[in-house]
Structures are given as C-alpha cells and as structure tokens.
Amino acid sequence: MAKLYFRYGAMNSGKSTALMQVAYNYEERGMRVVVLKPSIDKKGGDKLVSRLGVERKVDISVDADMDVFATVEADVAANGTLACVLVDESQFLKRDQCDQLFMVTVELNIPVICYGLRSDFSLHGFEGSTRLLELAHNIEEMKTICACGRKAMFNGRKVNGTFVFEGAQVAIDTVDDVEYQSLCPQCYFAARKKFYEQQAAKL
C-alpha cells in the first residue's frame, strides 16, 4: 500500500537535498518521479536549490487553486507509470491539496513524500504542514543544529540582519534582506526576549 510521508525539519536541515537524493535513487533504477513545488515559493525559480550546490528542475509548479490529485492523475495518463510524487516546501500547500495528495496514495497507489517546515518564525503551524501532520501515514523529523551546537527546532527570521518576531507568515520582500536561521529553543527565546525589550524601549 502506498503511503503519504511528511519529512519536516528546521531551516537548513537538508530537506531539498534529501528530496533530490530520493529522486536520483528512483531514476537511477529506471523509475519515473515527479517533483512538485508550491508557486508561492520563489526561491530558485523553477528549480530546487540545495545549499550543497545541487539543483533540479521542478516538474510541476503548484498554484493555490490547483487540484493536485487531478494533476497527478493526468500526468500518469499522459506519461505512464509513476513511482513516486515528491513535494518540496510542502508547508505552503493548501489544506485541500494535502487531502488530494493523500488520495493519490489511496486511489492511485503512488507513494507521496512531502518535505517542509512544521512551523513558522513565530511558532505557528503552516496550513499545509498542519494538515500533513494530521494525515500522513509516516512522519519523520530531519534534524539540524543551532549555531550554539544544540538541536535546532525553530526558525528565526532576520530582517536586515536583525531577528524579528512580528510580521506576515510568508515574507516575499524585495526591499528588505530577509533570511532565516535554525535555532534551538534556548537561542530562539533569548532572541525573542531581546526583540521585545528593544520594542518596549522605543515606546
């Protein structure tokens, strides 16, 4: 029986690299895969980009209103047997799209492996990742470390080099320099405390 897998981790835990490795393993054995990525994620354009320098073209860019089940079903009808569906940045999927991926495993008997973040920079769940945590047959954490050496669990957002803890869940900003850093709980809450102390000092 095909299963829906959700492999989550903080930023820089190697999610995209792992996805490309899985795709390579299938294709090396002559099996076909399709790689999906939500179109809201502009990083890398139409490619997956790993910090290790590895790249791979995305097969299907998923818009917010796309029926993912119908898209995969049409791909199979047009191109033949599909060994696996791989999804990068799956936290940006809509709830219904996660349900549709689950049905890919049920009705089409095709395994689906989703990679993404569990929560955002303010520790709130994304729509896609929250639904995947509810639905997935198999859930796996991909581990990474904080700069202090502890296990990183959270994602800190930096704007122009400074940690911030307020703002929109998805930052698509062409003015400010927005970056993310994986943090352990101790470093996350120390940075958050400093942020709010600085905010209070401005009042």
Side-chain angles (χ1 to χ4, degrees):
M1 182 186 73
K3 294 182 179 180
L4 173 63
Y5 299 84
F6 181 40
R7 296 175 178 170
Y8 72 89
M11 298 293 294
N12 303 324
S13 58
K15 297 182 294 295
S16 296
T17 303
L19 184 158
M20 287 186 273
Q21 180 66 57
V22 169
Y24 178 83
N25 290 344
Y26 273 108
E27 291 172 341
E28 187 181 36
R29 290 159 177 77
M31 301 178 184
R32 193 172 70 86
V33 303
V34 293
V35 175
L36 283 62
K37 185 178 82 165
S39 59
I40 192 173
D41 179 61
K42 306 299 183 184
K43 182 183 67 178
D46 65 348
K47 293 181 179 179
L48 302 185
V49 180
S50 163
R51 290 180 300 128
L52 301 183
V54 183
E55 294 184 353
R56 181 191 173 95
K57 193 173 186 305
V58 174
D59 299 305
I60 299 172
S61 181
V62 180
D63 295 325
D65 59 353
M66 177 183 284
D67 184 326
V68 182
F69 178 89
T71 300
V72 172
E73 188 175 40
D75 178 88
V76 172
N79 301 303
T81 303
L82 191 57
C84 189
V85 174
L86 300 165
V87 187
D88 199 32
E89 304 293 353
S90 59
Q91 71 272 8
F92 295 134
L93 294 171
K94 296 299 182 182
R95 179 184 178 89
D96 288 349
Q97 291 172 329
C98 296
D99 292 353
Q100 292 157 11
L101 286 171
F102 185 81
M103 295 312 294
V104 167
T105 72
V106 174
E107 295 191 6
L108 303 181
N109 198 33
I110 299 171
V112 178
I113 308 176
C114 297
Y115 295 82
L117 302 174
R118 178 174 57 172
S119 57
D120 64 16
F121 75 105
S122 59
L123 306 188
H124 295 124
F126 289 91
E127 181 177 347
S129 50
T130 297
R131 187 57 175 159
L132 288 168
L133 287 167
E134 294 170 341
L135 281 179
H137 296 90
N138 184 283
I139 298 168
E140 177 185 344
E141 181 182 13
M142 300 183 66
K143 299 178 177 63
T144 189
I145 59 171
C146 179
C148 72
R150 299 185 185 97
K151 175 187 171 184
M153 294 177 60
F154 304 139
N155 306 295
R157 176 185 288 174
K158 280 187 170 182
V159 176
N160 299 325
T162 301
F163 281 114
V164 299
F165 293 86
E166 295 175 352
Q169 185 174 59
V170 180
I172 303 174
D173 197 329
T174 58
V175 178
D176 295 319
D177 178 21
V178 179
E179 60 180 319
Y180 293 88
Q181 185 174 328
S182 50
L183 298 170
C184 68
Q186 289 86 347
C187 290
Y188 178 91
F189 285 105
R192 191 169 79 165
K193 180 180 179 182
K194 180 179 179 181
F195 171 79
Y196 283 112
E197 286 175 347
Q198 291 173 338
Q199 294 298 102
K202 294 177 182 177
L203 298 178

